[in-house]
Structures are given as C-alpha cells and as structure tokens.
Amino acid sequence: MTGYAVQITGLRKNFGTHTALDGVDLAIPAGQVFGLLGPNGAGKTTTVRVLTTLLRADAGQVLVAGADVATDPQQVRRNIGLSGQYAAVDDRLTGFENLYLVARLYGMTRRRSTAVARDLLDRFRLTDAADRQAAGYSGGMRRRLDLAGALVAAPPVVVLDEPTTGLDPQSRLDVWEVVGELVGGGTTVLLTTQYLEEADQLADRIAVLNHGRVIAEGSSDELKQQAGGERLELVLGQLRDLPAVLQLLEGLGELIVDERARRITVPVSDGQRALAAVLDLLNANRIRLLDAGLRRPTLDEVFLGLTTPVAEKVSA
Amino acid sequence: MNAVSAIAQHSGAIAWRNLVGLRRTPGAIFASVLQPIMFVFLLGYVFGGSLGGEAYREFIMAGIFAQTVTFNAAFTTIGFANDLQKGIVDRFRSLPMSRVGVILGRTSSDLVTSMISLLVTSLCGLAMGWRIRSSVLDAVAGYLLILLFAFAMSWVGAYIGLVSRSVEVAQSLGLIWLFPATFISSGFVSVVAMPEPLATIAEWNPITALAGAARILFGNPAVPGLPQPDGWPAQHAVGYSLLCSLVIIAIFMTLSVARYRKATAR
Ligand SMILES: Nc1ncnc2c1ncn2[C@@H]1O[C@H](COP(=O)(O)OP(=O)(O)OP(=O)(O)O)[C@@H](O)[C@H]1O
Ligand SMILES: [Mg+2]
C-alpha cells in the first residue's frame, strides 16, 4: 500500500492541436480531501475525466486505488464515484428513481437498491422531494441528487467536479458537510472548485492547475506562505494624493498600486510597527485615508498571483 | 453475478428507466402513433386512387409496417443523443457496468415503441380494408419478423446517435437516411419499374425483403399492375429478411459498443 488513493504521473492530453494537459503529476493521499484549483480551461475537468475512465490520456499513468485506468478501467470504476461538472440527473425520473437506477446498475438487488436510495435521499435532505420528478427540482436539489448518485456504492474514492458551483449558501454548506462526513468515514475526496474559500475550508491539500500544468501544490497554509507574509493596505480618500503618498512611502518596500480602487499595498515584515509609522507619516502630511490595515494573504491572492503571467515563475 | 445476468440486469434497469420516462412524456409517444396513421392514410388514399385502389391499399400495408419500424430508429438516435448531451451517458460510463447494457436497454425499450406503432398501423390498416388472410401462426411469425427488423433498425439508430456530436446533428442524421432506405424498396411500388441501378438496390434492400416476407406471411397478394421481381431475394423473402436482421444486429451492435467506449458528452 502506497498510502495514495490516486497517483497521476506525466499525464498528457491533446484535443487536436490544443494541449489540455501538459504533463500533470499528482499524488493524492488516501483519506484526505484534495482540492484541484484552476481558472476556466485549466484542465480540471479533463483530469477528472481521465481519472474516472471517461477519457483516454495520450500519455502518462493514472492509478486509482492501485488500478491503472488504461489497463483495468473496470476495477477503477468499482472504486470511484463521480459527480460531474454538470449534474447527470434524469429529469423525467423522480429523485428516488434516479438513485434506484444507479444502484441497480451497480448490480444491487431491488430491495437493497431501494434501501440505499432512501438512505441517500435522507442524507441529502431530499426525502420530501423523493417522489417528485427531478425536472421540478431547484439547482441545489439537482446537484445534491447528483452527488448522492456518486455515493451509491460507497466507493473509497469520490470525485466531485465543481460540486458547489451554482448553489446557494445553505446548499453549499450541506455539500461541505457531506464532504466532511465522507472523509470522516475514511473516503478520499478529490474536488475541483473555483471557490478558493472552499478549497481553503475543505481541502487538506491543494494543487493549482493552469494551462494543463500543476503550478503549485501544498496545504493552504503552505500556499499562503509562498505568496508572502503580511501586507499593509491603504485606501486613499482622494486620488490626487497618490503621487505624494507614493513619495512618502518610498523605501518601505515594493509598492503595489491599484489606481481605480485608490489602493496601495506593500509587503511588510513588522506589520504593527509599520502601520503606526505610516499612519503618523500620513497624518503629519494631512493625507486623508478611507481605510488602512494589515492583511494576511488570502488564497485568492495566491491563486491570482500564481495564475497571472507575471507571477508564473513562482512555481512550487 | 455472471456476465449474462449482469447484462440482463443492466439493460433491464435502463429499459425500465426509458419506459418510465416515456410514460411521463406522452408527447414522445404521440409521434410514434401519429406517424403510422399518416403513412397508412396518405399512401393508401393519395397514391391508392391511381395505383389500384383496394388491392393497392392491401399491398402497401406490408411496406408501411416496414417503413414504420424503420422510422422508429430515429427515436433511438435522438434518445441516445439526448442522454449523451445531458451527461447521463457519462454517469453510466463511470459505473462498473457492462458496455452493451446501456445500448441494449435503449434498443429494448424502443422495441416497445415499435410495438405500439405496429398496433396502431394494424388498426388503421384494418379500417382501410387490409386483412390478414393467412393462419394465426403465419401472422404471429409475420409480426415477429417485423419486430426483429425493428430491433435491428434500432441498433442502427443507436450507432447514429452515438456518433452524432449533438442532439441537433442527431435529429438530421437520424432522419435523413430513412427516406432513401424506405423508398428504394418494393414497399409501395414495383421494383421492376425502377431504372438500374435502383432496381437492383431495391431488390436486395432488406426493407424489400421484409415487405415481401410480410406479404407472404399475412397472405396479402401483389397488385397485378405492379409486377414484382422474382430473383433470389424475392423467392427467399422470409429467410433473407431474417438473415438481414441478424447481420445488421451483429454489425451495428459491434460498432455501437466500440463507439460507446469513446462517446463523450459536450
Ligand atoms: N472534448 C474537447 N474537445 C476539444 N477541446 C476540449 C475538450 N474538452 C476540453 N477541451 C479544452 O481543454 C481545455 C481544458 O478544459 P477543461 O474542461 O479540462 O477545463 P476546466 O479546468 O475544467 O475548466 P472549467 O473551469 O471551465 O470547467 C480547455 O481549453 C477546453 O477548451
Ligand atoms: Mg471543468
């Protein structure tokens, strides 16, 4: 046993002349939540599709619970549950029938299929809607039903492609709760997301994907560390003060200016002291501020810093 | 579970799902009922008047049976394209289930659609004066032969659905081949009167074979004014039709299953 639920090495995939995956390496530890982050078109869904046997890679190896997706896809399918980017719910069937169908396709008996479907509907708070056609479900209900479909056979590896996109806050919390329960029960969860907050909250480890490559990997703390420490942030009352302020702050560090927001950001080492000094200086020069404060980098900044071309060299 | 019972369970579950869906969207059944009614009365009375009246109307019923079940292949095509587009096929493909199960489930449930169409066609035919003039056994054999052909056409439809990149493409691809396939046949006219090479194509067309076989098994005579060919396919209409259906099923089952592995939504 390697301790990894999923191992991806040198994964490549082209669509015609377009390179969707350009040598992806990932090792996903068993029993953890692994977050795959990336902007639109980064290759998240392509990675998910290869690892759930829906798409054949051009090169590289993918092992899921020890089975190779290329040579033993059927074994891989026994070990994974997939909830794709777009909910694969049959509108004409009721919620119950959708899950019952999946259970039957797993080869379960009628009695067991019924029990499993009812149990999942309960877990996802769909019991009241169980016997209504899915066509009448809200977006959140459909998503939850699709998610439930991925768990029918209680697979050791669950893959969720943007599980909370388009959900309202309550539904999102519901999904988070389920992910928490799954991991509590020893399941490995791979989720892709565009919500950095979500990766921050849920994922033990995060990989940032861009243009088909992993450009950073680590825990969310490690990634934040990479983006640098504390920053001092000032928002000016009036834009015309900007030149003067820039002159006053000269030598403090590398100033990042956002003119539209009238915001100046500067990385600092001793934040508290720097803040006091800067405020004294600005007060003495009668510069009005709208806002001033110290900030730790958010995962958003890490993400943007990593995925915008300038900062692309900051790789893991 | 052994492979055969697994396939039976998978295709049974898929067929159940399709039929539940069909029952809840009566609009979809509407087409399969209206279509044969249109065929029977349009062909029977629009062409019938100039081509032999009563006798012609009896003659074309076998052709209409063949045409009706062939057109039902479009339901399979569109059903598949829909499932692909909605990502439902992706869900199935991510499950550890037999590959043939999903397609067999669809072609089986579409057989039910064909049965409904056949029933309606028969009732319209009876209203128009068509009669079964053979034994009960022959009549049953006739219907079974038509259903077998319906099943074969459904596999063709499944393959077309799987290669179509979208529902829109499936809708046009799924319909376009039906017209030459059904009209270059002895379904409604005399094959002998066609110019070459159409005459030869029509003579060997599986739809000609089915129409001929159905005429024999239902005891419907040919119309004196529409001479029919008497080559090998015509002389062995029943056997040739059976053979055609089996060969078509074998070919398109193989093609569809191979295609299913690669089929993707998007
Ligand atoms: N079937 C396909 N044919 C052609 N190009 C494709 C196909 N699937 C994906 N691509 C391309 O590959 C790249 C990666 O796509 P992918 O869907 O993996 O991105 P993603 O990270 O999931 O994006 P999103 O956040 O928008 O879902 C994109 O440029 C996309 O256009
Ligand atoms: Mg995606």
Side-chain angles (χ1 to χ4, degrees):
Chain A
M1 218 22 236
T2 54
Y4 291 112
V6 178
Q7 283 171 289
I8 300 177
T9 32
L11 185 61
R12 291 176 177 280
K13 179 74 196 176
N14 293 329
F15 292 107
T17 56
H18 179 79
T19 302
L21 296 179
D22 191 13
V24 170
D25 300 294
L26 285 177
I28 301 177
Q32 295 194 354
V33 181
F34 194 95
L36 198 55
L37 274 181
N40 288 129
K44 304 183 295 292
T45 299
T46 307
T47 307
V48 163
R49 290 176 65 80
V50 170
L51 116 96
T52 52
T53 76
L54 297 180
L55 196 65
R56 261 177 187 279
D58 296 335
Q61 193 187 39
V62 179
L63 298 178
V64 179
D68 191 318
V69 294
T71 56
D72 197 0
Q74 209 63 341
Q75 182 58 28
V76 171
R77 292 181 192 123
R78 276 185 209 106
N79 286 314
I80 51 161
L82 166 68
S83 171
Q85 184 163 358
Y86 306 100
V89 165
D90 189 331
D91 279 338
R92 300 171 309 175
L93 299 190
T94 65
F96 170 79
E97 287 163 348
N98 265 289
L99 296 179
Y100 177 83
L101 172 66
V102 175
R104 292 290 287 161
L105 293 177
Y106 268 111
M108 295 180 190
T109 61
R110 288 194 175 82
R111 176 194 289 259
R112 185 151 162 58
S113 299
T114 306
V116 166
R118 292 271 171 231
D119 177 53
L120 281 167
L121 288 163
D122 250 9
R123 260 172 84 188
F124 284 86
R125 293 179 211 174
L126 289 167
T127 307
D128 292 340
D131 297 319
R132 283 197 347 240
Q133 272 177 255
Y137 281 21
S138 70
M141 290 162 81
R142 294 170 67 84
R143 192 74 236 192
R144 276 169 14 229
L145 183 60
D146 190 60
L147 211 59
L151 308 185
V152 165
V157 180
V158 171
V159 181
L160 312 174
D161 197 358
E162 300 196 17
T164 61
T165 301
L167 295 194
D168 64 24
Q170 181 56 49
S171 305
R172 182 172 306 167
L173 287 178
D174 285 350
V175 171
W176 288 11
E177 200 182 304
V178 172
V179 171
E181 280 172 24
L182 284 175
V183 172
T187 307
T188 307
V189 179
L190 169 65
L191 61 86
T192 77
T193 178
Q194 308 216 351
Y195 300 105
L196 299 134
E197 177 204 357
E198 184 162 280
D200 206 1
Q201 283 272 339
L202 286 180
D204 298 295
R205 289 184 72 76
I206 298 169
V208 182
L209 201 62
N210 196 30
H211 297 308
R213 287 168 172 276
V214 176
I215 53 170
E217 199 194 327
S219 67
S220 88
D221 278 340
E222 284 165 4
L223 292 179
K224 286 177 189 170
Q225 207 73 47
Q226 226 174 46
E230 255 174 337
R231 294 137 192 255
L232 179 61
E233 192 181 277
L234 305 170
V235 180
L236 303 185
Q238 291 156 319
L239 189 58
R240 64 179 147 85
D241 290 337
L242 188 63
V245 174
L246 290 179
Q247 205 164 14
L248 287 168
L249 297 185
E250 194 126 83
L252 193 63
E254 193 193 335
L255 302 176
I256 302 158
V257 182
D258 181 345
E259 279 202 32
R260 242 165 35 110
R262 301 195 296 270
R263 186 169 55 214
I264 302 170
T265 313
V266 54
V268 289
S269 45
D270 187 349
Q272 195 174 341
R273 198 166 301 227
L275 180 61
V278 166
L279 288 180
D280 280 346
L281 190 62
L282 296 182
N283 281 335
N285 287 278
R286 294 211 184 85
I287 306 243
R288 272 183 28 78
L289 292 179
L290 217 56
D291 193 11
L294 287 174
R295 291 215 293 114
R296 296 257 303 132
T298 62
L299 209 47
D300 270 289
E301 286 163 330
V302 177
F303 185 70
L304 290 174
L306 284 168
T307 53
T308 46
V310 207
E312 225 168 45
K313 50 190 174 303
V314 190
S315 79
Chain B
M1 227 179 356
N2 68 43
V4 174
S5 70
I7 291 174
Q9 172 159 349
H10 297 154
S11 51
I14 300 278
W16 164 79
R17 168 245 175 193
N18 293 340
L19 291 174
V20 169
L22 197 63
R23 209 180 56 217
R24 294 197 184 134
T25 41
I29 303 188
F30 191 62
S32 64
V33 170
L34 199 64
Q35 175 183 293
I37 297 179
M38 264 169 36
F39 285 154
V40 171
F41 291 109
L42 279 179
L43 291 166
Y45 291 103
V46 174
F47 292 165
S50 42
L51 288 172
E54 289 279 288
Y56 181 73
R57 284 190 276 276
E58 174 131 344
F59 168 78
I60 58 164
M61 278 308 294
I64 293 175
F65 284 131
Q67 189 185 32
T68 300
V69 297
T70 306
F71 268 68
N72 278 353
F75 292 120
T76 312
T77 302
I78 291 164
F80 244 116
N82 261 317
D83 284 353
L84 271 174
Q85 184 146 319
K86 291 194 179 135
I88 289 173
V89 170
D90 273 357
R91 151 116 321 144
F92 294 154
R93 285 175 68 229
S94 75
L95 300 178
M97 59 178 291
S98 58
R99 270 179 275 133
V100 75
V102 173
I103 321 177
L104 183 58
R106 165 71 60 191
T107 51
S108 307
S109 61
D110 283 342
L111 207 49
V112 175
T113 313
S114 282
M115 287 180 195
I116 296 170
S117 298
L118 274 185
L119 179 70
V120 176
T121 312
S122 301
L123 293 177
C124 293
L126 288 172
M128 202 174 65
W130 167 76
R131 294 291 178 270
I132 295 177
R133 301 180 199 281
S134 61
S135 67
V136 174
L137 212 62
D138 278 347
V140 170
Y143 277 111
L144 288 180
L145 200 62
I146 297 170
L147 283 175
L148 181 69
F149 189 73
F151 191 58
M153 290 299 103
S154 193
W155 280 93
V156 178
Y159 181 66
I160 296 174
L162 286 167
V163 296
S164 305
R165 295 201 156 255
S166 69
V167 174
E168 290 72 27
V169 173
Q171 264 159 354
S172 49
L173 274 187
L175 276 176
I176 206 75
W177 66 281
L178 298 170
F179 292 94
T182 52
F183 280 99
I184 306 175
S185 78
S186 74
F188 316 110
V189 292
S190 163
V191 165
V192 176
M194 291 182 193
E196 287 296 346
L198 287 188
T200 307
I201 296 174
E203 192 180 345
W204 289 87
N205 186 346
I207 291 168
T208 299
L210 180 66
R215 275 179 204 122
I216 294 169
L217 291 169
F218 291 148
N220 303 140
V223 183
L226 299 176
Q228 293 300 310
D230 58 357
W232 188 90
Q235 280 172 15
H236 304 84
V238 176
Y240 179 55
S241 172
L242 192 65
L243 181 72
C244 286
S245 297
L246 296 178
V247 169
I248 291 171
I249 293 171
I251 292 174
F252 281 89
M253 193 181 274
T254 312
L255 287 175
S256 305
V257 170
R259 182 72 206 179
Y260 177 73
R261 303 162 79 163
K262 290 193 269 176
T264 51
R266 192 169 269 263

